Amino acid sequence: MAILQYLLASVALVAPVVNGYKGFRTSLTLGDFKEQMEEREMRTALIHPRDTDLEKLYPAQTIQMPIDHFHNDSIYEPHTNETFLLRYWFDASHYQPGGPVIVLQGGETDGAGRLRYLQKGIVAQLSQATNGLGVIFEHRYYGESHPTDDFSTKNLRFLTTDQALADQAYFAQNVVFPGLEHLNLTSHNVPYIAYGGSYAGSVVAFLRKLYPDVYWGAIASSGVPEAIYDYWEYYEAARIYGPRECIEATQKLTHAIDNVLINHTDTEYPQRVKNIFGLGNITRNDDFANAIAQGIAGLQGLNWDPAVNSTEFGHYCGNISSTEVLYTGIAEREEEAKELLAVGGYDEVKLVNQLLNYIGYVDATAVKGCKRRGKSQDECFTNYDSKFYQQDDITQEWRLWAYQYCFEWGYLQTGSGVPADQLPLISRLINLEFTSTVCREAFNITTPSQVERINKHGGVNISYPRLAHVDGEWDPWRAASPHRIGLPERESTVSEPFILIEKGVHHWDENGLFPNETRPGLPPKPVADVQKAEAEFVKAWVEEWHKARGTDV
C-alpha cells in the first residue's frame, strides 16, 4: 500500500480537526499567533508528563553565549559585549573515545521538543552507529535561550541566521560537557557532525560551508536553503501528489468562490457565499478566504511515525472528495449551493455535493470551534488587529519566527502567485498584502524580505564536501531545496549524499522507534533505508577525520 494511502486509511471522513498542523509554515495569520499563545498558556499550566520525563532523563545544560558575534556589522547596532545562557541537552551513553559529537540544531521552536530525537530518533541512531555523543542545541531566542528581556523589534535585531550559525560554531569550539570535564570534546579535538530538519536543515548546510574547520560534516534534512519571498509553490506538492479527486475539487471550488468574491464585489453574492459557510459575520473577504483554506495545507503534517502524524489532510480530503453528502442538515443548502456555483462559473452536478461537504468540514473545524470559544467571527478569523501585534513582552513567542521570515527568509504562501493558467488550491485573495500583515503591523517591515542574505550561500545549488541533502518526494518545501523539481539530478556520493525519500514528506528521517515499537512496514522501507545510509556515510566521514589526523577510530 502506498505510504499516503497507509496514512489516510484509518481516517474517519467527518472527524473534526482539533489542532491543525502548523509545523514549519510561514504566512501565519493572527489566528495562528493567538493559538500559539493559548498553547503556551496550556503548557505553562499543565506540562506534558512525557516531556517532563525526557527532561529528567536529559537535564538542560547552558553555555554562556555572546549576544553579538558581529561587531563590524551595522545591522546589530547598538552592539553589545554581553552574553546570555543558551540551552543544550546531551546524551553520552553511547560515547566511546574516537566517536564524534552529533549536534541537532533545534530550529524555530523550544529545544526541549527535540529531545525525542536524542532518545530514539536520528541523533540516537547516529550516536549508536558511531560511538558518538548526541546533542540537542537550542536556537537563540527560542525556548529559554533568551538574549534579551523582551521581543521588541529593536531587541530582535540579534535574531538572524548569521548569529545562529555563529552560536553553533562557538558551542563546538568552547563547550565543556558536565561530568566529562576530563575530556576535550571540542571541535579542536573530535569530529563534529551537524544535523537539522527544515529551517534548521538550512542552518546546518550553511554551517558546514561557512565553518568547515569547526563542523566536519552536516546533514540537511528537508533543508530550505533557497529563500523565496512569494512562495506560492508551497501547495505544489499537494497539487502534484495529492489524491486527484481532492485536488480537482479544491481547485474548482476555490476558483468558483474566487469568481464570486473577486468578480461580484458590488452584488449580494459575496455575502451569500460567507453565509452558506456559516461565516457570514466575517467582515473582510480575504479573512473569509483564508478561514476556509486551512485543510489543504495539512499535507506537511503527514508522518510515518504514529506519534507525530497529523490526520488533518486525510480529514479534509476525505470530506471534499466525496460526492455523497456526509453531514446531516447540510443537504438543505443544496439549491443555494447550486446557484452560487453557477455564479462562480460551474454547473457540475457532483461539485454541488462536494461544496456541501466542504461547508460541513469548515463548520466542524472552524465555525463550531469559534462558537465554543465564545468569540465573534472577526475575533476568531481576522488577520488585522494592530493592538495584538504591538505586544512584545517575553511571552510573545509568536514574534520570533515571524520576524525571521519577515526580515530575511520570506516564504509568504500565496494563492495570488500561482500562474494565471493554473487553478490555485487557495484563494488568490491570499496575496502578499495579506500574508505580510504581521511584517508591517508587528515589526514595521514594509519592504520584501531580504532573501539575498540567505541566498548568498548558494540557494538550491549549495554544495560542499561532507554535506548531505535528504528530502521528501512529497514535501511542500521541496521547491526551496536542492531536490527542487526541474533541477539537474545530482549524483549521490559518500562525500555529498543526495537522497530523496520516496513518497516522504517533511524530514521523515528525523523520527525513530524503539526496537519493540517496530513492526512490518514501520518504519517504512524508504525511511529505514535512508537512516541506514546516513549511519554508513557518517561513519565514513568519521573515519576520514581520523585518517586526516593520523588518529585511531
Side-chain angles (χ1 to χ4, degrees):
M1 182 181 289
I3 294 176
L4 181 59
Q5 292 174 316
Y6 166 77
L7 291 169
L8 301 185
S10 62
V11 175
L13 287 177
V14 296
V17 176
V18 178
N19 288 311
Y21 179 83
K22 302 303 177 187
F24 176 67
R25 285 188 61 200
T26 48
S27 299
L28 298 175
T29 60
L30 184 65
D32 299 312
F33 300 137
K34 289 181 176 179
E35 183 179 313
Q36 288 180 29
M37 292 300 294
E38 290 171 359
E39 290 173 354
R40 185 185 190 279
E41 292 174 2
M42 290 175 63
R43 289 199 310 270
T44 302
L46 181 62
I47 300 174
H48 196 290
R50 188 174 177 182
D51 295 337
T52 304
D53 291 343
L54 285 175
E55 292 188 60
K56 288 179 180 177
L57 186 61
Y58 308 109
Q61 312 295 333
T62 58
I63 183 172
Q64 288 283 352
M65 186 67 64
I67 293 176
D68 185 2
H69 294 279
F70 303 104
H71 285 254
N72 294 323
D73 193 331
S74 61
I75 72 165
Y76 303 114
E77 293 178 349
H79 294 287
T80 179
N81 292 316
E82 294 183 4
T83 62
F84 70 103
L85 292 176
L86 189 146
R87 290 197 304 177
Y88 68 95
W89 300 258
F90 75 96
D91 177 17
S93 63
H94 306 294
Y95 182 74
Q96 294 182 25
V101 175
I102 311 291
V103 183
L104 183 143
Q105 162 60 244
E108 73 292 2
T109 189
D110 187 321
R114 308 296 195 192
L115 291 179
R116 61 182 181 272
Y117 306 131
L118 191 61
Q119 183 187 41
K120 61 177 180 176
I122 190 64
V123 182
Q125 293 173 8
L126 294 178
S127 297
Q128 291 168 9
T130 61
N131 299 321
L133 183 149
V135 175
I136 303 297
F137 185 80
E138 189 162 72
H139 193 294
R140 60 168 49 208
Y141 283 86
Y142 293 90
E144 296 180 11
S145 296
H146 298 155
T148 57
D149 293 333
D150 63 38
F151 294 150
S152 61
T153 303
K154 176 188 71 173
N155 279 342
L156 291 178
R157 69 187 184 277
F158 300 113
L159 179 53
T160 65
T161 304
D162 285 340
Q163 293 280 7
L165 288 164
D167 287 345
Q168 197 161 343
Y170 183 94
F171 172 83
Q173 293 170 306
N174 294 277
V175 67
V176 177
F177 293 101
L180 301 174
E181 292 85 355
H182 59 291
L183 299 176
N184 182 347
L185 294 175
T186 66
S187 59
H188 306 289
N189 202 50
V190 298
Y192 267 65
I193 308 295
Y195 177 96
S198 197
Y199 159 69
S202 308
V203 172
V204 302
F206 302 157
L207 187 70
R208 173 68 186 125
K209 186 173 183 179
L210 297 178
Y211 298 92
D213 296 330
V214 181
Y215 279 82
W216 183 248
I219 302 174
S221 178
S222 293
V224 285
E226 181 90 22
I228 303 168
Y229 185 55
D230 186 346
Y231 190 56
W232 63 268
E233 294 100 327
Y234 179 84
Y235 295 94
E236 282 294 272
R239 184 181 72 86
I240 295 169
Y241 299 111
R244 286 300 88 203
E245 298 84 356
C246 175
I247 300 309
E248 290 176 4
T250 300
Q251 288 178 313
K252 290 177 180 179
L253 291 175
T254 298
H255 187 218
I257 292 168
D258 265 5
N259 285 340
V260 174
L261 296 178
I262 297 171
N263 299 329
H264 296 271
T265 54
D266 295 328
T267 72
E268 63 183 8
Y269 289 111
Q271 184 61 46
R272 285 172 64 179
V273 167
K274 295 178 190 177
N275 290 344
I276 198 173
F277 274 90
L279 293 170
N281 292 319
I282 295 181
T283 303
R284 297 178 59 106
N285 289 348
D286 52 3
D287 283 333
F288 166 73
N290 185 68
I292 66 173
Q294 300 308 303
I296 196 64
L299 173 62
Q300 184 181 329
L302 293 178
N303 198 290
W304 64 269
D305 184 349
V308 296
N309 179 47
S310 167
T311 58
E312 179 173 339
F313 195 65
H315 288 294
Y316 171 77
C317 281
N319 276 259
I320 204 166
S321 298
S322 178
T323 56
E324 296 182 6
V325 180
L326 302 174
Y327 293 86
T328 57
I330 294 293
E332 62 191 32
R333 306 182 199 181
E334 180 180 355
E335 291 305 315
E336 179 73 349
K338 285 181 181 178
E339 182 176 351
L340 291 174
L341 281 172
V343 173
Y346 287 85
D347 59 1
E348 296 179 35
V349 174
K350 72 173 185 178
L351 209 57
V352 175
N353 284 353
Q354 289 176 313
L355 174 57
L356 293 174
N357 287 331
Y358 189 12
I359 292 166
Y361 171 84
V362 170
D363 179 68
T365 60
V367 179
K368 285 186 169 63
C370 184
K371 286 181 180 178
R372 284 193 296 268
R373 295 166 65 191
K375 297 182 180 296
S376 72
Q377 291 186 342
D378 272 341
E379 287 176 318
C380 288
F381 301 112
T382 189
N383 196 30
Y384 304 89
D385 183 347
S386 296
K387 184 177 180 180
F388 177 90
Y389 286 123
Q390 295 310 306
Q391 299 176 102
D392 60 12
D393 62 81
I394 205 72
T395 69
Q396 307 299 318
E397 297 169 349
W398 60 269
R399 293 178 65 85
L400 302 177
W401 178 237
Y403 177 80
Q404 287 194 260
Y405 71 72
C406 288
F407 176 60
E408 60 185 1
W409 281 93
Y411 295 140
L412 302 184
Q413 295 153 18
T414 70
S416 59
V418 176
D421 61 352
Q422 178 178 315
L423 293 181
L425 289 168
I426 63 171
S427 171
R428 292 189 185 275
L429 289 173
I430 303 175
N431 54 25
L432 290 172
E433 180 73 13
F434 179 82
T435 53
S436 64
T437 300
V438 62
C439 305
R440 298 187 303 275
E441 294 287 325
F443 314 115
N444 196 31
I445 295 176
T446 58
T447 55
S449 309
Q450 299 178 42
V451 296
E452 67 278 1
R453 289 179 53 85
I454 303 302
N455 294 336
K456 65 185 178 183
H457 302 307
V460 294
N461 296 309
I462 189 171
S463 173
Y464 207 80
R466 293 184 300 280
L467 171 57
H469 296 288
V470 178
D471 295 295
E473 183 184 11
W474 296 354
D475 191 346
W477 292 99
R478 182 178 173 184
S481 82
H483 275 100
R484 180 177 185 145
I485 295 173
L487 290 178
E489 182 68 20
R490 299 190 197 182
E491 179 185 3
S492 183
T493 65
V494 172
S495 176
E496 295 192 49
F498 192 71
I499 304 172
L500 190 66
I501 301 176
E502 180 185 3
K503 300 178 182 177
V505 190
H506 204 48
H507 49 85
W508 272 19
D509 59 316
E510 196 164 15
N511 289 88
L513 302 174
F514 290 126
N516 64 349
E517 294 177 319
T518 62
R519 57 180 185 268
L522 198 67
K525 187 176 185 300
V527 174
D529 287 348
V530 74
Q531 291 177 334
K532 180 179 178 181
E534 287 170 322
E536 291 302 316
F537 66 67
V538 170
K539 284 194 290 186
W541 291 353
V542 174
E543 290 174 4
E544 187 178 347
W545 187 91
H546 285 285
K547 184 177 180 180
R549 285 158 179 75
T551 57
D552 295 328
V553 179

